[in-house]
Amino acid sequence: MSSHSLSPRPEVHGFFDPATNTISYVVRDPASDACAVIDSVMDIDYAAGRITYDHADEIIAFITARGWRLDWLIETHVHADHLSAAPYIQAKLGGRIGIGEKITEVQETFGKIFNEGTEFQRDGSQFDALFKDGDTYAIGGLTARAIHTPGHTPACMTHVIGDAAFVGDTLFMPDGGSARADFPGGDAGELYDSIQKVLALPDETRLFMCHDYGPNGRDIAWETTVAEEKAHNIHVGQGRTREEFIRFRTERDASLAMPKLIIPSLQVNMRAGEIPTDASGRPMLKVPVNGL
Ligand SMILES: [Fe+2]
């Protein structure tokens, strides 16, 4: 085997959700047929309070048709713009749900904002695995490594699997730049430092985005490389300094509206994708008035 190759090379399939501009991934170990699902999406019509599973069903059908075994359901972070379908997929295909250990900070913050009672645990116990910086886990014969990349949220992690890295919202495509850093617990300086960790991976590393909005009318895209980001990223490329980034990011974030689905997303995703229930056990979402 060539000393230049970043072996092994996992097979990566992206599934774009046009309602939320999220890309979910199936990552497969070609040697064992084991796979992982990264950042799945549950469909919601928020105005109607209706939840459906078309996007998740497409992924389930894709894995089932190929006879692959699902080992992991990974959340790169607690998303504020879509709901996770991890428990729904887990119920059909098995696998363990994993997220960064700093989920406990996110649960603390939003437990208060949503005035959750004591039955809402803030210890991350809703998840099957909590990753620390540098932790590894297996997808069949592949070794995946979780790198703590906070800034967008405190619990954000980048997952490096062979020559591929799933960056969550740490980076966007080069012409999209970077994600906002103004949610509770977010920090533009930390985001800059986290982006540097991703850019320190080998130049040929394949980078997979969690979101794409097709800036300036280009087609939706979700795969790039470390070399491309270093050379062309409009927010951090070409050696933009930490100070410049913080100034730019802070100004930009002050002009952004809240994501349309932030209120249902946080309540569901801080529970590992479970829909909260009221005292009688019925699925129910809250709206904290002037709380965000
Ligand atoms: Fe996000």
Side-chain angles (χ1 to χ4, degrees):
M1 188 177 288
S2 153
S3 60
H4 299 291
S5 71
L6 282 166
S7 63
R9 189 178 165 89
E11 190 179 307
V12 178
H13 302 269
F15 295 79
F16 180 68
D17 174 43
T20 64
N21 286 72
T22 303
I23 301 101
S24 305
Y25 294 98
V26 173
V27 187
R28 172 205 178 212
D29 171 23
S32 68
D33 280 349
C35 67
V37 168
I38 299 180
D39 292 331
S40 62
V41 176
M42 178 159 75
D43 311 310
I44 185 168
D45 176 345
Y46 189 37
R50 186 178 300 117
I51 279 178
T52 51
Y53 298 95
D54 291 347
H55 189 74
D57 283 338
E58 188 189 340
I59 290 174
I60 291 167
F62 181 87
I63 294 172
T64 305
R66 286 158 183 78
W68 296 348
R69 183 188 82 229
L70 184 61
D71 282 2
W72 285 97
L73 295 128
I74 299 297
E75 299 294 323
T76 55
H77 61 293
V78 171
H79 308 277
D81 57 2
H82 69 270
L83 285 63
S84 166
Y88 177 81
I89 298 174
Q90 184 183 45
K92 310 249 173 179
L93 298 181
R96 302 173 71 201
I97 303 176
I99 197 165
E101 63 167 354
K102 294 286 196 303
I103 177 67
T104 54
E105 286 181 20
V106 176
Q107 289 176 327
E108 200 59 59
T109 301
F110 292 107
K112 285 201 188 90
I113 288 174
F114 287 99
N115 196 28
E116 302 293 353
T118 48
E119 73 282 0
F120 174 62
Q121 299 290 315
R122 284 119 162 123
D123 58 1
S125 56
Q126 299 88 344
F127 296 81
D128 301 312
L130 301 180
F131 302 118
K132 289 194 290 289
D133 185 39
D135 275 356
T136 59
Y137 59 95
I139 304 167
L142 297 171
T143 300
R145 184 164 45 99
I147 303 174
H148 189 213
T149 47
H152 171 62
T153 80
C156 286
M157 299 202 91
T158 291
H159 291 258
V160 180
I161 308 171
D163 74 330
F166 299 84
V167 301
D169 289 359
T170 303
L171 275 170
F172 287 162
M173 291 296 283
D175 59 354
S178 61
R180 64 197 298 170
D182 62 333
F183 293 147
D187 184 285
E190 275 189 355
L191 180 57
Y192 182 88
D193 298 338
S194 294
I195 290 170
Q196 300 312 311
K197 285 193 200 174
V198 174
L199 298 183
L201 293 168
D203 273 353
E204 61 275 28
T205 306
R206 293 182 287 161
L207 298 182
F208 293 92
M209 312 294 115
C210 183
H211 292 292
D212 187 64
Y213 302 91
N216 307 309
R218 77 142 159 72
D219 289 344
I220 296 296
W222 51 75
E223 178 179 350
T224 182
T225 63
V226 166
E228 285 293 312
E229 291 283 19
K230 275 193 214 165
H232 303 300
N233 186 287
I234 56 168
H235 296 172
V236 293
Q238 297 173 329
R240 195 160 194 160
T241 68
R242 191 176 195 272
E243 213 171 39
E244 285 166 342
F245 178 78
I246 293 173
R247 197 180 315 121
F248 159 80
R249 193 65 265 172
T250 306
E251 253 171 51
R252 165 69 68 89
D253 289 349
S255 75
L256 298 175
M258 279 292 159
K260 276 195 230 97
L261 296 178
I262 188 169
I263 285 178
S265 296
L266 292 171
Q267 291 174 81
V268 166
N269 295 341
M270 70 183 185
R271 294 176 166 84
E274 298 288 354
I275 300 161
T277 52
D278 68 8
S280 69
R282 282 191 307 172
M284 195 70 69
L285 292 161
K286 294 178 187 173
V287 178
V289 175
N290 298 331
L292 274 177

